[in-house]
Amino acid sequence: MNDPTEILRQISGKRILDVATGLGANIEHLINSLKSYEEIIGIDIEKPERILAPDRESVFKRERIKYVQMDAGHLEFEDNSFDTVSIGNSLHHLEDPVKVLSEMYRV
């Protein structure tokens, strides 16, 4: 089996959506692992005040990285609007993972 990090180093993620992003740990991993990316949008049901608190060090304060409060089961993006869609360590927390995966595939 190939090393997942080595595989990621060969990928240009382009426009990326990170679902159930939380504080952005998976985004940090993508930034450090991908060959390149244009933009990363992290979505989570959490209110932005919790994620973007001024006293908190945050991946979302970086250029080309955004946070949007959104329900993963009802993604408010058009079909095929991302080149790469990811989720890390969160699927088991979601109420309807099949619906979320379907939405991820759609966008």
Side-chain angles (χ1 to χ4, degrees), residues 1-10 29:
M1 181 174 179
N2 293 332
D3 176 17
T5 302
E6 287 302 317
I7 293 170
L8 284 173
R9 285 192 180 119
Q10 299 173 34
H29 176 68

Side-chain angles (χ1 to χ4, degrees), residues 17 20 41 43-46 67-77:
L17 176 66
I41 298 175
I43 65 111
D44 203 287
I45 200 75
E46 288 288 336
Y67 176 81
V68 179
Q69 182 181 11
M70 189 179 300
D71 179 352
H74 304 283
L75 296 176
E76 301 169 22
F77 300 107

Side-chain angles (χ1 to χ4, degrees), residues 54-98:
D55 62 338
R56 176 174 298 202
E57 192 66 34
S58 175
V59 69
F60 299 105
K61 294 178 181 174
R62 297 183 190 177
E63 191 175 316
R64 302 183 297 149
I65 311 293
K66 295 181 193 168
Y67 176 81
V68 179
Q69 182 181 11
M70 189 179 300
D71 179 352
H74 304 283
L75 296 176
E76 301 169 22
F77 300 107
E78 293 183 22
D79 294 356
N80 304 309
S81 54
F82 292 91
D83 300 291
T84 305
V85 181
S86 68
I87 188 167
N89 301 317
S90 299
L91 199 56
H92 62 285
H93 293 292
L94 302 174
E95 187 175 312
D96 189 348
V98 172

